[in-house]
Structures are given as structure tokens and as C-alpha cells.
Amino acid sequence: MNAPEAAAVLLVDDSAPKRYLIKNWLTRAGFIVTEAESGHDALDHTGRQHFDMIVLDVKLPDMSGLDVCRRIKSDPHTATIPVIHVSAHAVDAPDRTLGLVGGADGYLVEPIDPQELVATVHAVLRYYRARRAAEQLADGLAQLADTTLAVTMARDFAELLGHAATGAARLFGGVAAVAVSSPDAGWTCALAAGAGHVTLTPWEQPGEEVPIGTRLVTGDAARWQLPPGWPPGTATVATARPRADRPPLYVFTTASDDDHHVQLLTQLTSALAAAAEAQRAQYQDHQIAITLQRSLLPRRLPTVEGVQFAVRYEPASQEAEIGGDFYELAALGDTLLIAIGDVVGHSLHAATVMAEIRHALRAYAVEGHGPGEIVRRVDDLMVRLLPGEMATLCVLLFDPRTGRARLANAGHLPPLLIQDGQVSEVWQRAPLLGIGHPRPADLEFTVAEGGTLLLYTDGLVERRDITIRDGIADLTAIAGAVDADLDLYCDRLLKRLTSPPNADDVAVVAVRRL
């Protein structure tokens, strides 16, 4: 009978002849045996060396073998080492019971039969190995679940790669890497060592055909040109490819290819591929939505004598839904139409409602209506044709020659008027669009030469850690210094007040009277 994997056994007995016999039996059975003569000697060995099994005499010169067993089992570092007691003195049932209650996994009385001893050692080892394998599998499945959850909730490919590589390194130990092709950045490989730092580097996919489904390959790591930090030698590589028209995903580990690792690696790779495919689909859908939304905004800015303007539109980040922010700048003879608004909600539907509102206000403005009437008509249109929808809107008609401006607001944030370094909020409190409530008369004011009007949506001033009122105050504090170049001015405001990835769309319109 041969012991698998040459298990290491610590034999503790103060009798040299008995140690000789037992060591001879165990060695011939394939075990690697280390000897100890006393309890303290045994504890010293277990503190310095790993053992798969301890064969422990009950009667020792310095302390009881029962006490040695209790100390071994109470130490977290040695508690999982199985212990078999052997005794020529404590042989009664109460003695054996006391030993087993104290933590021993077996109890043999002398005279010991060699075959019984070896069979008992094998039986206890089988149990411990099976239990250890079950615990490792349970722990691996728990870590697999944590990694799958993390990559599923990743906001972009970079975050997905980081969670995937870190999870693989924790799951299999040592170094792990994950490579995937993202729509906007090409092939990238993330390398992680345990729970440490993750490095992302460009990666060149090997010139090989990867089959659909999941595949495992073991070979020289140099074959896959892994990033610096990968140890030389053999790598186990799992690939997953959902469809022929999709790129594969690669998971590299230094783990062995035993059944336990193969099972976990296959499940991990399949989960990562599914998450990457979902990320890819989300990215493509978002790009389509962004393209649609941009197509609904003005394609070019008008040329109006006596005025300069700049606009900015920054869509929400990839993980956020598309919003309904919009702006309008149009020349109506000598008058400039300025409008900005935001449809309530974040979805492709909100963007289509935004398009209807924008086209309606343009049509009403071309008919010659003032700001208040434009807002009233758009509100009536929404009540009749878009019931349940709501939006904010601010409309101005501005004459650059005289500086005269007329404003109608429907629940939108107040424009800022910057003149001689002073910033004032142009407030007109009125209900949102889509409600059908009465509205106040137009608000009239004058923009002096060199004065600047700043219109914006809530994405510029709204953050989770502050109120909207504080956000407007932050904007007011930096908006007074208007750059000579309005494009630089808008860029500076965005840089100071927003932190990509943006949780919401941002639209900004800056108009300066010359």
C-alpha cells in the first residue's frame, strides 16, 4: 500500500525501539517520517515544519501525549493536522474516549498491528484530504462568486480587467493575467500578483485561431508575450469566445491543471467572457445613443454680428444612461435665440422627447413668438401630446445691438450674468414644462458691452456630496473671471466642476456681447 504524494508524518515516542519499528512500517508504506522523543520536541517540530500526520504516544517523559494533542489542535497553524494516538498503558475505553474527545482522530493500543497502523493512517489522511479539498472548493466558489459579481458591476473595461485579474490571482495564488479586446482601446492585458497592484498594458493577441466556447491550454508563457512581471516557465491559459464574430477572452494563471483548478478556471473564464460581452454590448448601445443625441443638437453655430459664443456638451459616462440635456442657438434676423433645457429622466426615450421639444421651440421662435409664449406653447404641446413627460427649459431672445434680453424660464437653473467681474443669477421661478400651470411675464434685462451670459444644465453643478444651491455657489465663485477665449472659459468650468466619469450629461452655453 503506497501513500499518495509521500505524506510527511511526525512520529512522537520516547522509546527508540518502538520508533524504529513504526518508522520502518510507515517508510515502507511510502511515508516520509520525522522522529521526536518528547512532547516539547514534537511541538518544536510542528512549529517549524509542515506535517500531514502525527503519530503520537500517549505516555511521554515530559508531558502527556493528550496535552500535546490539545495544544496542537488549539493552535490555528496546526489545528488541521490529524493526530493518531498509540499507547501501551492507556488502553481502556475511558482512556481512548479521553484521547478522542481531546482532538485525536484515531486511537490504537499496543501491541500494534503494522497493517492496521498503515490502514488507519491512510483512512485518516483520506478523510482530511477530502475535507480539505471540499473546503478549498467551497472557498474557491465563494471567491469565484465575489469576482463574478465585481466584474459584472464594472463600469468599464479597465475596471472589469482589474477586478478579473485580481480575482484570478486570489483564486489561484501567484500571478494571474486577463486579456480582452475593448471597442475603444484594442487589446489590453491586466496583470495582478495576489491582492497587490494591477498593471494594465497594451497586448498583442497571438496569431492563432481560438475556437468558440471554452478551451484550456498549458505551455511556455513566452508563447503569449505576457507583460513584464510574469514569471518564466509554464502558464495555464483558458480562453472563452461566445461567437465567431466576437474576440476571445484570455485568462492566464501559474496554477496547476488539476481537476479543482480546471473546474474553477473554466467557470471563471466563462463568467468573465459573459461580463465582457455585456460590457461590449453596453458600450455599443451607449455609443449609438450618444451619436443619436449629438445628431439632435445644433450641427453648427450661427454667425451673429456683435456677439461671441461657445457651447459644450459632455455626455454621461459609459455606465450611465443617456440623458435629455439640450441647447439651442439660432439667428432670427438681428435677434439671437438662446435656449437650454433638460428632459426629466435618463434613457433613449428622454433623448427623443428632447428632440421634439427642441424642434417645437425652434418652430415657435421662427413664427415670431416671444420667450414666454414659446414656453407656453411647448408646455401645451407636452400636456396634449406627451402626457406624463416633464422637462426644464430656459429661453432667451437677445438683441446684440442693444443688449436687451427677454427671458422665460420653466423650472431650469438660473443663467448667470457676468459683467465687470460681477456675477448675478437671473432668476425667474416658474413651473416645469408638462404641467400646464400659468406662467409669469417675460423677464427683461440688459447685457452691457463685454458682458457674458452663461447657461448650463444641472450636470455642471450637481454632485452627491453637496446641495444644488452649493453647486451654483461654486460655479458663481469661478465664473466671474471670463477668459478672452470663450472655448477656454467653458473648458475651465467643466474641468473645475466635473470629474469624469460623468454621472449626468452636461450642457453649457456661453454668450458674450462685444
Side-chain angles (χ1 to χ4, degrees), residues 166-187:
T166 301
R170 287 174 176 167
L171 193 58
F172 302 109
V175 181
V178 178
V180 69
S181 175
S182 60
D184 59 339
W187 282 97

Side-chain angles (χ1 to χ4, degrees), residues 297 324-329 337-344 353-365 370-382 389-397 406-415 426-435 439-440 442 455-458 507 509:
L297 297 174
D325 292 23
F326 66 96
Y327 63 87
E328 181 60 64
L329 282 169
L337 169 67
I338 310 169
I340 196 165
D342 186 1
V343 176
V344 174
V353 172
M354 172 270 285
E356 295 188 60
I357 294 174
R358 175 173 169 259
H359 292 312
L361 78 87
R362 284 165 59 93
Y364 296 142
E373 183 63 16
I374 292 173
V375 171
R376 188 193 67 77
R377 288 173 177 255
V378 173
D379 182 49
D380 184 63
L381 180 145
M382 291 184 64
E389 304 292 345
M390 289 187 292
T392 66
L393 177 65
C394 182
V395 179
L396 289 93
L397 288 178
R406 296 168 57 198
L407 175 147
N409 201 329
H412 199 78
L413 298 172
V426 184
W427 275 103
Q428 187 194 48
R429 291 175 171 82
L432 282 71
L433 297 175
I435 297 179
R439 300 186 175 276
D442 290 354
L455 294 82
Y456 51 94
T457 57
D458 57 2
V509 177

